[in-house]
Amino acid sequence: MKLWETSDSLSSDKLVEQFTASEDVLLDEQLWAYDILGSLAHSEMLYQIGILSRPERDQVCVALSALMNEEVHVTPADEDIHTKLENMLVELIGDAGKKIHTARSRNDQVLVALRLYTKVWLLEIADLLLALAKECAQFAKRNEGQPMPGYTHTRAAMLSSVGLWASSLSECLLDDLDLLEAAYALVDQNPLGAAAGYGVPLAIDRELTTQLLGFARTQNNTLAVMNSRGKHEFAVLSALSCILLDLNRFASDLILFSAGEYGFFELPPEYCTGSSIMPHKRNPDVLELLRARSARVLSMLTQQAIILKGLTSGYHRDLQETKRPLFDALSTTHASLQILTPLIAGLRVNKKNLDSAITPELFAVDEVLERVQAGVALRDAYRQVKERLNQLKRRDSVKALKARSHAGGPGNLRLPELDQKIAFLQNLWSKRRQGFDEAQTRLLRLGT
Amino acid sequence: MKLWETSDSLSSDKLVEQFTASEDVLLDEQLWAYDILGSLAHSEMLYQIGILSRPERDQVCVALSALMNEEVHVTPADEDIHTKLENMLVELIGDAGKKIHTARSRNDQVLVALRLYTKVWLLEIADLLLALAKECAQFAKRNEGQPMPGYTHTRAAMLSSVGLWASSLSECLLDDLDLLEAAYALVDQNPLGAAAGYGVPLAIDRELTTQLLGFARTQNNTLAVMNSRGKHEFAVLSALSCILLDLNRFASDLILFSAGEYGFFELPPEYCTGSSIMPHKRNPDVLELLRARSARVLSMLTQQAIILKGLTSGYHRDLQETKRPLFDALSTTHASLQILTPLIAGLRVNKKNLDSAITPELFAVDEVLERVQAGVALRDAYRQVKERLNQLKRRDSVKALKARSHAGGPGNLRLPELDQKIAFLQNLWSKRRQGFDEAQTRLLRLGT
Amino acid sequence: MKLWETSDSLSSDKLVEQFTASEDVLLDEQLWAYDILGSLAHSEMLYQIGILSRPERDQVCVALSALMNEEVHVTPADEDIHTKLENMLVELIGDAGKKIHTARSRNDQVLVALRLYTKVWLLEIADLLLALAKECAQFAKRNEGQPMPGYTHTRAAMLSSVGLWASSLSECLLDDLDLLEAAYALVDQNPLGAAAGYGVPLAIDRELTTQLLGFARTQNNTLAVMNSRGKHEFAVLSALSCILLDLNRFASDLILFSAGEYGFFELPPEYCTGSSIMPHKRNPDVLELLRARSARVLSMLTQQAIILKGLTSGYHRDLQETKRPLFDALSTTHASLQILTPLIAGLRVNKKNLDSAITPELFAVDEVLERVQAGVALRDAYRQVKERLNQLKRRDSVKALKARSHAGGPGNLRLPELDQKIAFLQNLWSKRRQGFDEAQTRLLRLGT
Amino acid sequence: MKLWETSDSLSSDKLVEQFTASEDVLLDEQLWAYDILGSLAHSEMLYQIGILSRPERDQVCVALSALMNEEVHVTPADEDIHTKLENMLVELIGDAGKKIHTARSRNDQVLVALRLYTKVWLLEIADLLLALAKECAQFAKRNEGQPMPGYTHTRAAMLSSVGLWASSLSECLLDDLDLLEAAYALVDQNPLGAAAGYGVPLAIDRELTTQLLGFARTQNNTLAVMNSRGKHEFAVLSALSCILLDLNRFASDLILFSAGEYGFFELPPEYCTGSSIMPHKRNPDVLELLRARSARVLSMLTQQAIILKGLTSGYHRDLQETKRPLFDALSTTHASLQILTPLIAGLRVNKKNLDSAITPELFAVDEVLERVQAGVALRDAYRQVKERLNQLKRRDSVKALKARSHAGGPGNLRLPELDQKIAFLQNLWSKRRQGFDEAQTRLLRLGT
């Protein structure tokens, strides 16, 4: 085996092929189904405006639907998946295949496939996010009254509860879902018909493809369509980043709270690994990787931005490079949400350690506010307690938790409202998914 | 003058003060008004639940309202603006002032001020964004039929128009506004009552402060409130980044298209500067800085993310550092939107240069599609034209533009729909602004 | 074909395997040879300190050398390449194989393989960088006297030359090489023996493995070794980023200067591609991708930093995620340098267009300085010329270039000194490469 | 006080002034002294080549030296500090002042000031870094034999020592200093004479200014000079980032190890702050801010890169924006190094807590290796110990530490070698500083 594979002997053609396409065709394979859906809608539209005859339209649709089930492998020599699809069509049905690219450009063709692809992933991610939010809410419910120190500055601060901690993640995730929804709405616009960014001198019907593909609306200005490449990706990755930032914090919490010095939780053993040198180790590898994966998605957000910086209007090949960060961030977020839910389901709560971590100083605020209620001004009460810190006493945690009875406090988490909100959102997103599936079914039926 | 100001002689107290507060107090001064608004609402609530007596509440509110008009200067020795405000209150009204901090922590106090501050800036930014979108739409209207080469890969590609180019920015900005709205909605949640993240053992009324401060809703889980510090900022900066990315592209376009080699547009002279060495230069400095400012906002997005990375739940002093990137990104975006609108209003269109840049090859697609309409398959027509590129002829641009008649093409920009949408959004955001102003007025009236 | 591959049915074991290892094992395959080299040195050392007997040492070394030529495929079920190597050893030679991991941890084992891997790539990159610097210097030599407008603010500013432009890249790259050398020196430290970061209770001989592996020195403090994981990668990526930033600028220049509006250069046709819709297009795709690839490397630098942020001392599994950005940035930089050299070799200079771009205003400074030499103060001369801009005349470019005779000016590029410097550096780096190769040969000879 | 300062009424001139200069002039004030030094060298050179007469040269130098001690305030109306300096000169000495800008451009003028400025800061930073490395080495010496758990994956792993931990930071910092030195060498090149990037048609003597200003060498190619703006800054910030990454990790360690759950160290009280609501809190604010400041510097590195992305050769006003991240990163790194040294000097080691954290499992590897030394193969020994984890016993820590006697292990830190290296580097950098100071003195003497 050579330490180093030399490429000195490569011809410039091979060099260029490798430089421009080698990685991209692998990503392209994931777009196969979406390119077919886009092409089905485009063909139907070409038929409706008289470019394809009825028999041509039928030939094309039957062939496309059949190719949907093909296992496809693209090589750099194929240029890309779109050329390959067109070539396969021409091989299968001859002249009608040569017409399919009428009135579209590679640019809007890729865009439509990317948006369908992104929509499917976002639908899945919303689903997994809600499942995780629900799991946390249930974990919170089971441990609603379990006292736990509340930390600020990595130091024990006030009385808190396992319920407050776990349901805080649920609520943060629901905020993230609002951002994801805004990004989804951007992506849910039909780019087809923008061609190379300047439209086409043909009376194409863009509203028809919008409806056929199940997009919420047509993205109007054809140059705005082209200029949104990369920025839409940025918006999506930004919403994913928020999710990952929340998972990163939760993973950081769990790594610390399951360490020997805290011992509040015990991770399910299948989510831990050992050491090659230290027989006693049980390491929280999954959570550590999850933390690091947030760095990956965040850096891909940066990557999108840097790619766009300095580009003028219209398509540039630079934009091809926006694909990989998009694909990677979507699958990384997906895998991260997916693995955390069963981990939380299997998390063991160590009641003993939690209870014994409830020290008197966690009740300093209770002491202060008791004096306030007896009429002492806050600042005076604060000073009085500060001067007698060693006289602080451990209080009844259950009673103290209940006293935090205002909205959102550990004594009043409002979990039923949280459950309701999750259920509402699950319904909403599943309807979106259904709409997407129906459009797909309709399109594939064109080929029967 | 010394080249180097030594700080060797600084005591550790001074060093710490400088390290922790020197920059932060300057930022704090911008929060003065918002801290007073938050404190007014909190005081009214303390009165309603019986912590403040009616006279105390009146004293506090009168004093706070009076301080609103004070010119305030905070020094590191004041610690921060919040301590300064409390100290001034105590000085003015004595014991009642010592009660104001009851049932809140510095953490939720800062959060409420930050959110009000952010809301005001976002309202202003939305306003400026819509003004810019409108200016571009008007510019597009005035130059709707003016032909212009459409570029891909920085090479002349197809016939386009000044109208398409200018209105593409409008549409991109409206997409950004949707993202901004989602970020605004996150920020429009009341954090007050979360205290240090674990609530308080007192029956405070969070819904009351929500209503008094004009927030759309109460952010529930008290730990989720704390954990959203930094992430909300991230969401806001991400929406601002999208705006800046669009401005960056537009500025890049203008820098190029106003260069001698293109000469399509002439920048208003007051937006250009000269050279210290070359008497003939007229440089597009404002646009170049605008381009660079996008780098600033984008890097501040990264900064927010890095600050959060690795932090566990609950407040950490690290989060103080999220203030500057937020403040800076808000004002940078504001200034960038503000300066571009009059620049576009004063932009001169050089019809002669534009017209003479319309070369025959820009009509290659027209030629191809004409053959398609005569029945030739697209791939064959494409090949035929490619073989006779030197026979391509310049066509009638006006007619050719009109032939791009489908939705969003240069022949059908749908500017009236765009105007309508802008007007609708201006109304929507101005109502939001009105709601904010009314809440503020109500609060200040508590002190009369 | 399904649009969506569900993973719902995955067991948690499979989920964890996929989450932790699926991508990593693919990266690992690239470390195979380096893990064997590290293991050879470690085994020899274990023999020298009496842990392995002579026959055991011989068995191990023969087996390792043989495995070097094995085509290896690692699956997530193998855990990683290191476990696979140990298992293969045990299978081949039994008990002696079980001893190989004595006194090392997976942590220092991975580190040593990574550093050897990085060194080889950096040696290659230095080689390619110098080849590119040389190509540019030769191109500069061939076009030393060819006038070209010099631009500031994307506007024609002063007289320049193709020679100045092309050799500026050479000089910038040599600066980058100095940074790369500093990063190389960091990596050129032996980490072996640090074990898990806390050494081992055995009198291992670290200087011996340093010498056997050809490292410049032993990295001393065992915890510093562990804590440099990620930071060394950061330092390497930072140097690579500087290279890419220079390539990015040069690619941006070429894209613009080969556009129709400038027409200074013509790209070799094999580095351009066509359009799916516009038969006349010749797009500079390779240069555009090169520009975008700089975004990739820069974002991976950010990724390294975010991974490290918030981590405490000692190994964390997060650090596994530093591998991919390292590998990717190394190969991206390599490919980018590799493709640019033949592109420049094939670049056609369009003398006619360059000459006709030399307009009178490019000589405004010449006019000013002529007056200065006649005794007028600079500020007055500047004003005089500014008032008579329309009287400026085109001058003899060749003579005017020669007048820029000071060091580094277009009339005195000092290309021979540049050639000499490149030759010196090629010699230096090739000696480094030779040293590396010799160490490798010595190690493999242990197994004969 | 108004919530919102409207700028609606600003004229476009004011808007432009504010947009282009308002922040920049404040930064500029820091360059005053360096602009004077650059101007002194330039004037002397102009005299040597006959542009300035002897009396003019004397006038200029006397005036410049006098202005050095002036307290200067620049406003946007001054344009920038360089214009202000020239205007003040003209006011003071008339016509001779109008000649000072001969044969230079604002571009190389700013560059030379920036490089001198950067050099001074880097000299100071190197000094502070070495002081911190020394403080850590002394702390390590004082606590060389103090056992401490060594952590991996945030879990107790193996026996370590306070000495190993503290001296690991010293060694990491010395690695960083090597990177800083490479960045310093880049900056230590004279840019003066590059003018606007294309030289000047005058026989200026660049080697003379190089020598007068104390630069190590002349940066040759005038366009390379201009194109290094921003990239040099990137290289500097990258070295600073490495320092901050190490401080970030050390701060993270200290925050955790001084928390109640660990209790290994006690922070000096003056580096902690209290809570506005919880009277018992003592928070590690300085360390938390230090951690967050690493995010600031890292994001400024990103900012530099994004600014450069997409720019073509030659100066662009975008580059003005590279100033602030440079200035900020330099002062942030300076302050961070400065505050950590006394903090470590005052750090209390809690021997009792450290000793009682030494649990039996920390000796698992000792147990395994004992069996190995008795002839058991490592893998078998590992398995045996893993099966009897509950039989592990606490060992004599002092003896166990000593057994880690190989280079860099906790039993052999090689602190004397570390001390020597620090002393050597202190000498090296102080010589550099001396050279800089001497050049400055020589230049100021020109004006006497």
Side-chain angles (χ1 to χ4, degrees), chain C residues 102-141:
Chain C
T102 309
R104 77 176 177 192
S105 159
R106 177 71 76 252
N107 295 341
D108 59 339
Q109 182 184 5
V110 169
L111 263 176
V112 80
L114 279 172
R115 293 207 179 157
L116 295 172
Y117 173 87
T118 305
K119 281 177 66 178
V120 168
W121 276 95
L122 292 182
L123 289 165
E124 277 291 316
I125 283 169
D127 193 42
L128 289 171
L129 180 149
L130 287 164
L132 175 57
K134 195 171 175 179
E135 191 69 53
C136 288
Q138 287 168 347
F139 186 86
K141 182 85 204 139

Side-chain angles (χ1 to χ4, degrees), chain A residues 152 155 258 275 281 288 382, chain D residues 152-153 155 258 275 281 382:
Chain A
T152 65
R155 270 110 184 83
S258 65
S275 152
K281 287 301 292 288
E288 293 174 291
Y382 180 94
Chain D
T152 65
H153 304 263
R155 270 111 184 84
S258 65
S275 153
K281 287 301 291 290
Y382 180 95

Side-chain angles (χ1 to χ4, degrees), chain C residues 231-412:
Chain C
K231 197 187 69 177
H232 279 195
E233 283 82 347
F234 182 87
V236 168
L237 265 70
S238 159
L240 301 180
S241 295
C242 285
I243 298 172
L244 266 295
L245 281 171
D246 281 324
L247 301 190
N248 160 68
R249 192 188 48 250
F250 197 73
S252 300
D253 281 357
L254 270 178
I255 290 168
L256 203 62
F257 293 154
S258 65
E261 287 78 5
Y262 296 79
F264 298 163
F265 304 108
E266 204 172 299
L267 301 174
E270 62 270 32
Y271 293 89
C272 297
T273 61
S275 152
S276 78
I277 179 175
M278 294 167 287
H280 67 288
K281 288 301 292 288
R282 284 262 305 279
N283 297 322
D285 294 59
V286 165
L287 293 168
E288 294 174 289
L289 283 171
L290 206 147
R291 197 165 53 177
R293 297 277 157 84
S294 72
R296 182 193 285 222
V297 174
L298 287 164
S299 71
M300 279 163 175
L301 179 66
T302 303
Q303 186 178 351
Q304 295 286 11
I306 308 182
I307 290 171
L308 296 183
K309 172 66 186 0
L311 291 188
T312 50
S313 280
Y315 181 77
H316 304 267
R317 184 72 178 260
D318 311 58
L319 295 167
Q320 174 182 296
E321 285 277 312
T322 63
K323 250 192 236 173
R324 203 179 71 141
L326 174 70
F327 288 23
D328 196 327
L330 286 166
S331 66
T332 298
T333 308
H334 187 271
S336 301
L337 287 164
Q338 190 180 37
I339 205 157
L340 201 50
T341 306
L343 189 153
I344 290 171
L347 198 63
R348 274 202 42 219
V349 176
N350 194 324
K351 195 178 155 35
K352 215 185 91 212
N353 288 349
L354 280 160
D355 287 345
S356 67
I358 305 303
T359 56
E361 24 169 56
L362 295 179
F363 300 95
V365 175
D366 299 68
E367 182 74 28
V368 170
L369 288 178
E370 231 165 54
R371 289 166 193 253
V372 164
Q373 284 180 296
V376 186
L378 185 276
R379 276 296 152 229
D380 297 327
Y382 179 96
R383 200 171 345 95
Q384 290 166 11
V385 175
K386 197 180 173 76
E387 281 159 7
R388 298 172 189 81
L389 282 176
N390 55 348
Q391 295 172 25
L392 279 172
K393 290 209 170 49
R394 219 175 168 289
R395 294 167 172 236
D396 178 338
S397 295
V398 176
K399 226 173 98 187
L401 279 179
K402 280 203 184 120
R404 282 113 169 107
S405 61
H406 56 78
N412 181 14

